[in-house]
Amino acid sequence: MSGWLETIKMSFRTESTPNLSGIGMTSQRTRERLLGRLMDQGITSMEVLDVIRSTPRHIFLDEALSHRAYEDVALPIGFNQTISQPYIVARMTEIAFLSGPLTNVLEIGTGCGYQTSILARLAKRVTTVERIKPLLDKARKNLRLLGLRNIDFRHGDGSLGFKRSGPFDAIITTAAPQQIPHELLFQLNDGGRLIIPVGGDVQQLQLITRRGEDFQCDKLEDVKFVPLLVGQVQN
Ligand code: SAH
């Protein structure tokens, strides 16, 4: 392992983490392991790592699962949905912010609000769309608990994007369509980025960058997300 990586890891170990208290020393070690794991997997953005480090992932989970909150895995949140794996949250966020600070971000698939909380601490304004109303309500509560106020929660079908609040510097989709919904492309700013898993049983994370009326597509890595479904659910 290279020296600088070890140094970064050490600094994460020794700094105090006041806003992460709450579930004891055992999980403190697990959190440190998680940061190390993200770095080992190639996450290099200090901003992203720092926000992940200081975000209490356990508050997004039911108590019965909270002891697993700092494992690098997706976990169930009810309604057949999952909280995303920290690695993929870090990776998508890092890609979104590669070209610099972002003002206006759209997230599709709020779920419990974990990815939303990471985005909201890095971007000026986040709009997040979820099709399952009770999940959206829960996310709203979680994010209020964290004191995040720059988020606009919307109940609806995110495959349509959210044109009224666009255009966006970045759109992050946390559920996978079979094909990229065209509405999303035209809600990007010039230079804006869409980060989206695409496919069914086999999915690929794609980065679409808008250049005027052209869209450059980069295929990044294989991923596994829940499907992007049409329509919305009230209860
Ligand atoms: N962002 C979440 C991941 C949630 S899982 C996290 O940080 O953990 C993906 C979410 O996408 C689910 O809650 C699912 O209900 C939602 N979803 C699926 N299709 C959707 C659609 N068309 N519009 C909005 N949300 C959708």
Side-chain angles (χ1 to χ4, degrees):
M1 185 181 301
S2 64
W4 66 267
L5 192 55
E6 232 355 76
T7 311
I8 295 169
K9 284 186 182 180
M10 283 305 293
S11 76
F12 276 113
R13 277 188 201 116
T14 50
E15 276 171 30
S16 66
T17 54
N19 51 353
L20 267 182
S21 58
I23 57 168
M25 289 311 290
T26 315
S27 46
Q28 182 62 40
R29 276 201 303 276
T30 321
R31 285 174 202 164
E32 287 158 6
R33 263 205 304 276
L34 172 62
L35 262 293
R37 214 186 123 90
L38 298 184
M39 288 187 267
D40 287 345
Q41 290 179 95
I43 305 298
T44 56
S45 161
M46 291 307 289
E47 287 85 0
V48 171
L49 288 167
D50 201 37
V51 169
I52 292 210
R53 171 177 162 272
S54 58
T55 297
R57 190 168 181 252
H58 61 276
I59 70 153
F60 296 93
L61 289 161
D62 282 346
E63 217 166 310
L65 277 176
S66 62
H67 66 288
R68 300 194 58 195
Y70 301 94
E71 293 176 20
D72 190 24
V73 290
L75 292 164
I77 54 169
F79 300 90
N80 273 328
Q81 305 303 325
T82 53
I83 183 171
S84 295
Q85 180 192 359
Y87 164 72
I88 203 70
V89 170
R91 179 91 169 105
M92 290 171 93
T93 309
E94 186 170 75
I95 295 162
F97 285 86
L98 264 183
S99 53
L102 303 178
T103 301
N104 196 22
V105 173
L106 174 66
E107 178 195 32
I108 296 164
T110 318
C112 59
Y114 178 58
Q115 168 84 72
T116 324
S117 74
I118 305 293
L119 291 171
R121 289 185 52 199
L122 292 163
K124 192 153 179 232
R125 193 167 59 247
V126 178
T127 303
T128 185
V129 186
E130 170 59 54
R131 67 187 287 275
I132 302 176
K133 180 78 164 43
L135 279 180
L136 189 74
D137 293 341
K138 210 162 157 190
R140 195 185 274 117
K141 263 190 223 147
N142 289 336
L143 297 176
R144 200 174 291 144
L145 202 68
L146 294 181
L148 295 167
R149 305 250 176 259
N150 56 338
I151 305 164
D152 184 16
F153 296 88
R154 296 287 169 171
H155 179 221
D157 180 353
S159 55
L160 306 171
F162 200 75
K163 199 171 175 187
R164 214 182 324 151
S165 299
F168 301 98
D169 305 318
I171 301 177
I172 288 191
T173 303
T174 67
Q178 293 283 349
Q179 274 156 7
I180 294 173
H182 275 221
E183 283 82 354
L184 301 185
L185 299 175
F186 292 96
Q187 291 178 28
L188 288 171
N189 271 328
D190 197 5
R193 298 168 160 222
L194 168 64
I195 298 132
I196 185 166
V198 184
D201 288 341
V202 180
Q203 298 170 6
Q204 245 183 357
L205 190 63
Q206 298 191 10
L207 164 65
I208 317 293
T209 310
R210 181 170 191 176
R211 305 255 176 250
E213 295 308 293
D214 292 332
F215 297 89
Q216 180 192 324
C217 176
D218 294 297
K219 296 187 173 159
L220 302 175
E221 61 194 87
D222 290 347
V223 286
K224 188 78 199 130
F225 280 84
V226 297
L228 188 82
L229 302 173
V230 293
Q232 46 182 278
V233 180
Q234 201 60 38
N235 299 299

